[in-house]
């Protein structure tokens, strides 16, 4: 561990961390300290916002494809250092190597997407009802975009937001999870290098802040838009504070995701999808599979196969190539795991496998399968751990109703070889989630599609499709290129006397 805190550093400016306040980053696999990081001082917080506002005036006037060129170079840096960046994620988050490499690749892919999108910030031309008029819409940046991210995807979620916010002409201030400061400082260093090489203004800033300063950040009227990724409970508080000052808010919150396994499902697809969805990242994804609804005719077979598959999940050092599940993020996560298991048993759930802290100690736990019923209140909650409920159902409508009968609406999946069942699941009568999959699991979304969900998941969209519009304000424009002044909706307004006076 370093003797002195690492100060927050920003492009071409000397900043000072508050030496009285610092945080220690810890390896969740070993509980060893990785480094000590100084938190941003009040003075630097105010300077950061001042510089972000000033830089945005220059940045918004740089052509969007030129802004995209900066993102391309940042993506190239990530590609050059992919292996080492993945090792940092594994060290600080506990993700297995394959998942960590996948996250860095997601940053690279998002950069490539954003570069192309920088040439496609389209507005629509609309047919005007008035002669010699042109009606169209265009898009402008909001200004300063605040990005608040969680620990579980310390690089990818930043990229989803930052790259789109930047190509659309906003400057960004990133407030990462204090559980992953090493990942954040590493990203900032890469961005600083590219910004310096291109001689661009300070458009990317890093805010390592405590709760008090984060609250000030959220409430600050100079932060035009805030994208928040985290729990439903905290997201609701953020939204209330941002909306109270009429700010713009993008929310990507929790998920209580379900897989429905139909009686006609291909189990060679369903079983590995369930295991990866429930066990990947030790159950610490917003898209983690938490509930599996199984047709009663398949229940015994699927339970047997899943128990057997869980016994094959190797748990241990996430850097080892054979490991399939690493640790939870910290002691508190382990405590919540234990508490959830206790509540499951109190409500009548039966542990089929797992359910205990792992013999490895530290932050390791056993991946857990639970025989449950839809009536158990705990199945309504998002547990951020590798705990998966197996629930039998009678018919597809019952399964869909149970799937939808939770506050969250992020990801959903159906395994079936029935075209009719698949189409029903995808219809307005089916899944109410922002993501609906057929014959693939709930986890592992591609960046080409907009990512996000409904209800308490927040309704925000990030990454692909037209998610870029969330970072811009729409402006409707009407141009009269004629010599008359016709009104819309056929309204007539006699102004002949005014015309005569103006001509005289």
């Amino acid at each position: 561990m370093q003797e002195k805190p690492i100060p927050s550093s920003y492009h071409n400016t000397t900043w000072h961390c508050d030496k009285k306040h610092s945080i220690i980053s810890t390896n969740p696999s070993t509980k060893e300290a990785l480094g000590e990081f100084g938190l941003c001082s009040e003075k630097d917080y105010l300077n950061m916002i001042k510089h972000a506002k000033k830089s945005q005036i220059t940045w918004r006037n740089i052509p969007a494809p030129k802004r995209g060129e900066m993102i391309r170079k940042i993506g190239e840096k990530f590609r050059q250092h992919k292996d080492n960046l993945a090792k940092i994620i594994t060290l600080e988050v506990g993700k297995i190597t394959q998942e960590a490499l996948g996250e860095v690749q997601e940053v690279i892919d998002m950069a490539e997407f954003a570069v192309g999108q920088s040439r496609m910030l389209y507005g629509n031309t609309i047919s005007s009802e008035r002669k010699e008029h042109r009606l169209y819409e265009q898009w402008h940046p909001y200004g300063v975009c605040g990005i608040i991210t969680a620990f579980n995807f310390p690089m990818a979620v930043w990229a989803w937001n930052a790259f789109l916010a930047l190509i659309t002409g906003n400057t960004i201030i990133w407030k990462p999870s204090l559980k992953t400061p090493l990942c954040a400082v590493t990203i900032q260093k890469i961005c600083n290098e590219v910004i310096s090489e291109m001689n661009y203004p300070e458009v990317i800033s890093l805010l390592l802040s405590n709760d008090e300063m984060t609250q000030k950040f959220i409430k600050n009227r100079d932060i035009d838009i805030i994208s928040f990724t985290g729990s439903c409970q905290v997201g609701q508080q953020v939204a209330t504070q941002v909306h109270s000052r009429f700010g713009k808010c993008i929310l990507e919150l929790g998920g209580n995701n379900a897989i429905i396994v139909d009686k006609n499902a291909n189990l060679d697809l369903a079983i590995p999808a369930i295991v990866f969805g429930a066990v990947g990242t030790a159950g610490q994804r917003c898209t983690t599979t938490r509930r599996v609804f199984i047709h009663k005719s398949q229940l015994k077979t699927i339970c047997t196969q899943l128990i057997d598959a869980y016994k094959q999940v190797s748990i241990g050092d996430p850097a080892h190539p054979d490991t399939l599940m690493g640790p939870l993020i910290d002691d508190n996560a382990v405590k919540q795991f234990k508490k959830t298991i206790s509540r499951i048993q109190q409500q009548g759930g039966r542990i089929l496998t797992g359910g205990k802290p792992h013999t490895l100690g530290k932050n390791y736990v056993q991946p857990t399968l639970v025989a449950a019923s839809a009536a158990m209140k705990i199945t309504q909650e998002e547990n951020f751990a590798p705990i998966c409920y197996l629930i039998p159902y009678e018919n597809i409508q019952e399964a869909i109703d149970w799937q939808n009968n939770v506050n969250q609406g992020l990801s959903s999946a159906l395994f079936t070889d029935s075209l009719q069942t698949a189409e029903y699941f995808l219809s307005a009568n089916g899944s109410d989630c922002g993501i609906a999959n057929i014959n693939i699991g709930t986890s592992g979304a591609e960046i080409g599609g907009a990512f996000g969900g409904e209800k308490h998941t927040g309704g925000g969209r990030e990454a692909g499709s037209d998610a870029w519009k969330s970072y811009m304000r729409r402006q409707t424009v009407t141009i009269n290129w004629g010599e008359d002044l016709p009104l819309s909706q056929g309204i007539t307004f006699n102004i002949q006397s005014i015309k005569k006076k103006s001509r005289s």
Side-chain angles (χ1 to χ4, degrees), residues 145-163:
C145 178
I147 300 172
I148 303 175
T149 59
F151 75 86
N152 56 340
F153 281 87
M155 296 190 184
V157 174
W158 168 82
W160 291 357
N161 288 279
F163 292 165

Side-chain angles (χ1 to χ4, degrees), residues 469-486:
K469 293 180 178 179
S470 298
Y471 305 84
M472 304 193 83
R473 57 182 175 86
R474 186 195 307 254
Q475 186 174 75
T476 301
V477 179
T478 307
I479 299 173
N480 178 2
W481 52 274
E483 295 183 355
D484 294 321
L485 189 65

Side-chain angles (χ1 to χ4, degrees), residues 273-458:
I274 294 168
V275 176
F276 174 73
V279 170
T281 321
Q284 299 171 117
R285 292 184 177 218
C286 55
T287 54
T288 291
T289 303
R290 311 209 179 276
R291 299 172 296 150
V292 180
F293 297 104
I294 305 169
H295 191 271
K296 63 179 185 178
S297 65
Q298 297 269 44
L299 182 64
K300 184 176 180 180
T301 299
I302 290 175
C303 286
T304 300
Q305 291 189 26
L306 283 175
I307 292 169
D308 182 61
Y310 266 51
K311 290 179 180 178
Q312 299 175 50
V313 174
S314 56
I315 303 167
D317 179 4
H320 193 283
D322 293 334
T323 299
L324 293 181
M325 193 182 99
L328 295 177
I329 189 65
D330 56 21
D331 288 339
N332 186 59
V334 176
K335 290 178 183 177
Q336 289 298 316
F337 170 84
K338 293 178 181 178
K339 183 178 179 180
T340 301
I341 294 298
S342 177
R343 292 178 60 210
I344 287 170
Q345 293 172 326
Q346 290 172 6
Q347 294 182 25
R350 182 165 54 91
I351 306 300
L352 299 178
T353 185
K356 297 178 181 178
H358 200 276
T359 54
L360 289 170
K362 308 285 192 308
N363 296 324
Y364 290 95
V365 299
Q366 297 175 348
T368 304
L369 289 173
V370 179
S373 70
M376 291 170 56
K377 290 185 178 180
I378 198 166
T379 65
Q380 301 278 311
E381 303 171 12
E382 178 190 30
N383 67 80
F384 224 56
I387 300 173
C388 183
Y389 305 107
L390 306 182
I391 302 170
Y393 72 89
E394 294 274 351
N395 57 71
I396 190 63
Q397 187 60 61
E398 180 180 57
I400 292 173
D401 288 345
W402 286 346
Q403 174 204 280
N404 293 346
N405 189 32
V406 293
N407 288 329
Q408 309 84 357
L410 180 54
S411 187
S412 59
L414 167 69
F415 281 83
T416 183
D417 282 344
S418 166
L419 176 63
Q420 288 81 5
T421 303
E423 289 294 338
Y424 185 79
F425 179 78
L426 298 176
S427 74
N429 302 304
S431 172
D432 66 357
C433 296
I435 298 170
N437 298 328
I438 301 296
N439 291 334
I440 61 170
T442 60
S443 199
E446 298 181 29
I447 59 96
F451 184 89
E454 302 304 322
K455 300 186 291 189
H456 288 202
T457 301

Side-chain angles (χ1 to χ4, degrees), residues 124-137 476-479 488-489:
N124 293 322
T125 298
I126 305 161
S127 297
S128 175
E129 66 185 64
R130 288 170 283 185
K131 185 178 71 171
E132 297 177 333
H133 280 59
R134 181 157 67 94
L135 178 63
Y136 70 96
E137 64 181 20
T476 301
V477 179
T478 307
I479 299 173
S488 59
Q489 289 83 49

Side-chain angles (χ1 to χ4, degrees), residues 20-38:
K20 295 180 181 179
H21 301 283
S22 62
I23 55 171
I24 295 175
S25 175
T26 304
N27 183 334
S29 303
T30 64
K31 294 193 175 183
E32 295 175 347
L34 298 173
E36 188 174 4
F37 299 80

Side-chain angles (χ1 to χ4, degrees), residues 32-177:
E32 295 175 347
L34 298 173
E36 188 174 4
F37 299 80
L39 299 179
C40 188
S41 68
E42 179 77 16
K43 176 182 176 181
D44 287 339
Y45 160 71
L46 295 174
N47 280 335
M48 187 186 304
I49 293 175
K50 177 182 176 181
H51 280 267
K53 285 174 63 65
K54 182 179 178 181
S55 296
Q56 200 271 330
I57 296 172
T58 301
W59 185 243
R60 70 192 184 196
N61 288 302
I62 294 173
K66 296 294 184 183
R67 300 194 293 253
E69 177 66 10
M70 187 186 78
I71 303 304
R72 183 184 67 80
K73 291 191 175 185
I74 292 174
E76 286 179 354
K77 294 274 189 183
F78 272 82
R79 192 183 297 276
Q80 291 167 11
H81 302 292
K82 180 178 178 180
D83 289 345
N84 286 332
L85 289 167
K87 289 177 182 177
I88 292 173
I89 294 174
T90 296
L91 273 175
E92 195 167 44
V93 182
K95 281 189 179 181
I96 64 172
T97 299
Q98 282 299 307
E99 287 191 83
L101 286 168
E103 177 166 354
V104 180
Q105 185 61 48
E106 196 164 351
V107 177
I108 296 166
D109 293 345
M110 192 65 214
E112 292 180 348
F113 179 91
V115 173
Q117 191 67 68
S118 70
R119 294 180 179 272
M120 297 184 293
L121 304 180
Y122 298 137
N124 293 322
T125 298
I126 305 161
S127 297
S128 175
E129 66 185 64
R130 288 170 283 185
K131 185 178 71 171
E132 297 177 333
H133 280 59
R134 181 157 67 94
L135 178 63
Y136 70 96
E137 64 181 20
Q138 61 184 6
W139 298 83
H140 294 303
Y142 275 104
V144 180
C145 178
I147 300 172
I148 303 175
T149 59
F151 75 86
N152 56 340
F153 281 87
M155 296 190 184
V157 174
W158 168 82
W160 291 357
N161 288 279
F163 292 165
L164 292 185
L166 288 165
I167 63 165
T168 51
N170 304 281
T171 53
I172 64 170
I173 298 176
W174 177 29
K175 194 282 172 193
S177 168

